[in-house]
């Protein structure tokens, strides 16, 4: 039973890997390529959001 479960999980992981690395027919880019391109933009947005929250809560703490 454990061997069958391991084989099924392995097949699912392999299928997911093939899906996210398969190039799109129109653009020729895969899902992984899109994520790599958008990651720096998301990091910049997250840093700005973190800085805004830190500034907000630091000012609230100093006002008390």
């Amino acid at each position: 039973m454990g061997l069958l479960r391991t084989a099924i999980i392995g097949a699912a992981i392999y299928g997911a890997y093939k899906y996210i690395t398969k190039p799109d027919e129109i653009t020729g880019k895969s899902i992984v390529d899109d994520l790599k391109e958008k990651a720096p933009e998301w990091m910049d947005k997250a840093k700005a959001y973190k800085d805004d929250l830190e500034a907000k809560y630091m000012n609230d703490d100093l006002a008390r």
Side-chain angles (χ1 to χ4, degrees):
M1 188 67 168
L3 181 62
L4 180 62
R5 183 177 62 197
T6 303
I8 291 172
I9 291 171
I13 291 171
Y14 177 74
Y17 174 78
K18 293 295 281 185
Y19 177 76
I20 65 172
T21 59
K22 179 179 145 186
D24 187 20
E25 294 176 3
I26 298 171
T27 61
K29 294 168 45 176
S30 67
I31 295 172
V32 174
D33 294 335
D34 290 339
L35 290 174
K36 284 182 184 178
E37 286 180 4
K38 294 178 184 177
E41 178 184 335
W42 292 339
M43 287 296 295
D44 292 338
K45 286 182 180 179
K47 286 179 184 176
Y49 184 71
K50 180 191 74 114
D51 292 340
D52 289 343
L53 286 177
E54 282 182 346
K56 177 183 174 184
Y57 287 111
M58 287 295 194
N59 289 336
D60 288 345
D61 288 341
L62 293 176
R64 291 182 192 185

